[in-house]
Amino acid sequence: MKKLLAVFICAMLLLVACAEKKEEQQVEKEDATVDEQEQATNETESEEQAEDEGLTLENDGIDEAKFQELLAALPAEKPERIVVTSVPLTEMLYLLDVEPVGVPTSTNPIPEAFQHIAQIGSPMTPDLEAITNLETDLLIGAKSLQSSLDKSLEGLNLTTAYLPTDSFEDLKLSFKVLGTYLGKEEKMNEVLSSILDKENELTKLAEGKELPRVLLMIGTSDSFMVMSENSYLGSLVKRLGAENIATTDLKVDSTYSAVNLEDVIVSDPDIILVLASGDHGASEEMFKEEVAKNDAWTKLSAYKNDQIHILDYSTFGVTSIMNVENALTKVADYFVK
């Protein structure tokens, strides 16, 4: 009898313990749900506040994960003798008040204050002897040319770093990485603040307005190509909120794709922006000849409404953080009247 009673008591205690445990788990689950809801609410409020206030240095729109990844990839020991093989990255060092010992040889202009610095050859195939003679601590190049540069630099035992420079977002990201890495936060914040202010100004300007559907084209030496939002000009158009039909209608995958005029006519963009340069590819005259020999261009609303614009290559053809505010403003002029 005593054994049965003991077993009964143990069973009761076990049931009570299980019930208490279940109750604790339910409370913990409810607490976790409340925490998640509060976190989601706070994030939403933060996003809404950021949207109302616009971009700031604390909320600069730069991808934090990419920023940390690129920063971590740079060498721990700060370099004293930097060679840079990219014009956009050369501009960044200039804006950060950091003077490299070597800059690229390019048809695209580098800051005048750096004209006295030794030139080390083209961005894709730099002069290895010149780089060696400069006793380079760190070579910084464009991410898009990494494979070519790594191949060229084989055997040099050189410390290298590569940063993206293709788009507007790339420029802000790489500039923040360099500014932080080189301990030039004050200069960096000064430039970033100016760019963010321009973004905020143009975003406000476009509020409540219907932005156009845009076709972006670039002239090569013998033809014209469609530019996606991955191009520099495409990234500016995307930042301003206009629709690039290369993405939405033409469904192009590459940065530059052949023009399918039949598809363009079906999409019928409101504005066509043509990047043309006699020095770098097809000229404005060549585009006029293209239109003259193919009557299909004249069926487009952009043609009928006089909304085909030829863009200056020096402003839109060269990725440049020094000129990005001007480029954003000029593109916005086509969208927001």
Side-chain angles (χ1 to χ4, degrees):
M1 187 62 186
K2 288 182 177 177
K3 285 185 178 178
L4 286 175
L5 183 58
V7 170
F8 176 75
I9 292 172
C10 288
M12 290 300 294
L13 289 173
L14 183 59
L15 286 173
V16 170
C18 288
E20 289 178 344
K21 182 67 175 176
K22 189 174 181 180
E23 187 176 349
E24 288 177 3
Q25 289 175 339
Q26 181 62 30
V27 171
E28 289 175 357
K29 187 176 180 181
E30 290 174 357
D31 288 346
T33 302
V34 170
D35 288 344
E36 288 175 3
Q37 290 173 341
E38 288 180 351
Q39 183 178 355
T41 301
N42 291 337
E43 287 177 356
T44 301
E45 289 176 353
S46 177
E47 289 173 1
E48 290 175 350
Q49 184 180 0
E51 189 173 334
D52 291 339
E53 295 177 353
L55 296 172
T56 63
L57 289 175
E58 291 72 31
N59 173 40
D60 52 22
I62 295 172
D63 189 309
E64 180 64 19
K66 289 182 180 176
F67 167 74
Q68 294 296 345
E69 180 184 348
L70 291 172
L71 193 61
L74 291 167
E77 187 174 349
K78 296 294 185 293
E80 293 184 359
R81 299 180 66 79
I82 297 174
V83 164
V84 59
T85 66
S86 151
V87 173
L89 294 172
T90 302
E91 286 186 346
M92 293 181 197
L93 293 182
Y94 168 72
L95 293 173
L96 293 170
D97 201 17
V98 173
E99 187 168 304
V101 295
V103 295
T105 306
S106 174
T107 55
N108 298 320
I110 62 173
E112 190 173 347
F114 281 1
Q115 294 289 339
H116 68 284
I117 296 175
Q119 297 194 355
I120 49 86
S122 75
M124 288 187 70
T125 53
D127 184 328
L128 304 187
E129 185 177 357
I131 293 173
T132 303
N133 290 339
L134 290 171
E135 300 178 352
T136 307
D137 293 332
L138 175 66
L139 180 142
I140 305 175
K143 185 74 176 174
S144 59
L145 299 179
Q146 180 173 355
S147 58
S148 300
L149 283 168
D150 279 344
K151 198 170 181 179
S152 298
L153 299 169
E154 275 181 358
L156 274 192
N157 192 27
L158 191 67
T159 302
T160 58
Y162 296 102
L163 296 171
T165 59
D166 292 338
S167 68
F168 172 60
E169 291 76 18
D170 288 343
L171 292 179
K172 288 202 303 180
L173 170 64
S174 294
F175 185 67
K176 185 173 178 179
V177 170
L178 280 177
T180 305
Y181 175 66
L182 297 170
K184 294 288 184 176
E185 285 86 353
E186 186 176 349
K187 288 280 186 182
M188 175 188 78
N189 288 336
E190 183 181 320
V191 174
L192 278 180
S193 290
S194 181
I195 294 174
L196 298 177
D197 287 346
K198 178 57 68 178
E199 289 185 73
N200 291 333
E201 173 195 330
L202 297 176
T203 302
K204 288 283 183 188
L205 198 63
E207 275 184 2
K209 296 179 179 171
E210 186 176 350
L211 296 181
R213 301 170 63 254
V214 186
L215 172 66
L216 306 176
M217 296 175 59
I218 184 170
T220 65
S221 58
D222 56 1
S223 65
F224 288 88
M225 309 282 283
V226 171
M227 287 189 285
S228 75
E229 62 185 27
N230 295 325
S231 65
Y232 175 55
L233 178 58
S235 69
L236 298 177
V237 169
K238 181 182 179 182
R239 178 64 193 94
L240 294 172
E243 177 185 339
N244 183 347
I245 68 163
T247 301
T248 57
D249 291 354
L250 307 184
K251 308 295 184 186
V252 302
D253 296 323
S254 303
T255 303
Y256 304 101
S257 305
V259 178
N260 184 325
L261 192 52
E262 290 183 3
D263 290 342
V264 172
I265 290 172
V266 172
S267 180
D268 196 22
D270 302 308
I271 292 181
I272 299 177
L273 301 179
V274 183
L275 186 55
S277 166
D279 295 332
H280 297 80
S283 65
E284 180 176 353
E285 289 304 315
M286 286 180 66
F287 182 72
K288 289 179 179 176
E289 291 172 10
E290 167 71 17
V291 174
K293 71 183 181 185
N294 194 336
D295 187 55
W297 286 102
T298 64
K299 301 182 187 305
L300 295 169
S301 298
Y303 180 86
K304 296 173 184 174
N305 298 326
D306 197 23
Q307 288 296 322
I308 298 179
H309 304 284
I310 308 297
L311 302 184
D312 177 17
Y313 192 91
S314 64
T315 302
F316 299 101
V318 182
T319 312
S320 165
I321 193 168
M322 292 176 67
N323 197 39
V324 74
E325 292 178 50
N326 178 41
L328 278 170
T329 302
K330 287 191 173 180
V331 172
D333 286 344
Y334 291 115
F335 300 165
V336 185
K337 302 295 181 182

